Amino acid sequence: MDVPFYIRFLHKPLHQVLHRRGYGVLVGSALHWVLPQRALLGLKNYIVSFDFVAEKFDEVPQPEYENKDLSYQVDVGVLEGNLCVMCNYEHVCVDLWVMKEYGVKESWSRLFSVQKIRNTTAFGFLRPLIYAKDGNELLLEVNDEKLFWYDSKTGKARSVRILDGPRSFGAVMYVGSLIPVEDPDEVERQRRLREDAEREKLRSENNNW
C-alpha cells in the first residue's frame, strides 16, 4: 500500500488537539481527514481520504476558497451524505462548501457564509449537522458547546437549549436502522448448532440402513 508522506502528520498530538477530527469523517466508503498547512514544512491544506474498498489513500480536490485577505483553517464534515468543508477565516467568518458529486472539483458549491452569531464571540469550531424539514434552517454545532438553527435565507440564528446539558459536548448524527447488528459470538454459536444438527441427521440416516 502506497502511503503519502504527509499522512504521518495526522498522528501528531498538536493536530489532534487543534483540529479535533483525528478520527475522520466517513463519506461513502472513504474516511476523510484534514491536514492543516505548515508553511515551514512546505505543506498546504490537504483533505486526505482512505478508501476501505480500494484500500488506498488519496487527496480530495478542494473548492476555490474566496480571497478575503484573511488566513483560514479548513475542516471537513458530512451533510446529507455529501462531503462538506468549513473554511474558517480567523474565527470571525465561516464559509460552508458542499461537494455535490464526490471527487469532482467543479461540483463544490458554497451554501452560505456565517458572519456572526449572537452570544458567540468567535468561531473556534463550526460544524453542520442536519437540515430542518423545511430545508431552510441548518443545525450547527459551534465551539463544541452550543447548537444553533441557522436560517440561510435571513442569516439569523436561534439557540437550541439543552436542559442541564454539559458545558462542552460533541454532537453526532444517528440514523436508525431495522437491520440487526450481527453478534460474532452468536453467529459462531448458530454455525456450530447447524453443524451439530447436520451430524446428527447423518448419524440417524446411517443407523436406518
Side-chain angles (χ1 to χ4, degrees):
M1 180 188 299
D2 295 329
V3 179
F5 76 95
Y6 46 77
I7 292 298
R8 72 189 72 172
F9 296 103
L10 288 173
H11 303 286
K12 298 296 184 181
L14 183 61
H15 170 77
Q16 303 290 341
V17 171
L18 292 180
H19 291 268
R20 289 172 287 186
R21 286 295 173 269
Y23 49 78
V25 172
L26 184 65
V27 177
S29 61
L31 203 59
H32 301 76
W33 302 267
V34 169
L35 177 65
Q37 60 183 348
R38 298 190 177 194
L40 295 178
L41 299 177
L43 297 177
K44 60 179 182 179
N45 280 301
Y46 284 98
I47 298 178
V48 182
S49 69
F50 178 77
D51 192 306
F52 290 101
V53 176
E55 295 187 343
K56 71 173 185 177
F57 288 97
D58 204 354
E59 181 183 352
V60 179
Q62 299 183 58
E64 295 294 335
Y65 303 116
E66 294 187 0
N67 182 10
K68 300 178 186 283
D69 295 324
L70 298 171
S71 61
Y72 62 87
Q73 293 178 342
V74 172
D75 201 356
V76 290
V78 58
L79 184 61
E80 296 189 324
N82 295 316
L83 184 67
C84 62
V85 164
M86 294 74 75
C87 185
N88 191 327
Y89 293 91
E90 296 183 359
H91 308 301
V92 297
C93 173
V94 178
D95 287 353
L96 176 63
W97 296 78
V98 173
M99 181 178 259
K100 301 291 184 64
E101 185 177 351
Y102 185 79
V104 179
K105 179 180 177 66
E106 291 74 20
S107 72
W108 281 109
S109 175
R110 195 185 75 155
L111 293 185
F112 53 78
S113 180
V114 183
Q115 300 290 337
K116 184 179 181 181
I117 293 181
R118 188 176 59 182
N119 299 327
T120 300
T121 56
F123 293 127
F125 171 72
L126 182 147
R127 182 164 65 106
L129 296 174
I130 192 172
Y131 277 106
K133 290 183 179 180
D134 62 10
N136 293 327
E137 290 188 315
L138 182 63
L139 186 62
L140 301 176
E141 177 190 355
V142 178
N143 299 342
D144 288 334
E145 60 185 20
K146 293 181 180 179
L147 295 175
F148 291 92
W149 281 112
Y150 181 79
D151 191 316
S152 58
K153 290 185 176 181
T154 64
K156 295 182 179 180
R158 54 189 176 91
S159 176
V160 177
R161 296 185 178 182
I162 303 176
L163 185 63
D164 297 327
R167 295 185 61 183
S168 179
F169 60 85
V172 177
M173 296 307 303
Y174 168 76
V175 179
S177 173
L178 298 177
I179 301 175
V181 178
E182 292 186 344
D183 181 350
D185 293 335
E186 179 62 20
V187 172
E188 178 64 19
R189 189 180 74 85
Q190 293 294 333
R191 184 186 67 79
R192 291 181 180 179
L193 288 175
R194 289 193 297 270
E195 291 179 350
D196 291 343
E198 287 293 331
R199 283 194 293 267
E200 184 63 28
K201 180 180 179 180
L202 290 174
R203 187 181 299 110
S204 178
E205 290 175 350
N206 291 333
N207 290 336
N208 290 333
W209 280 96

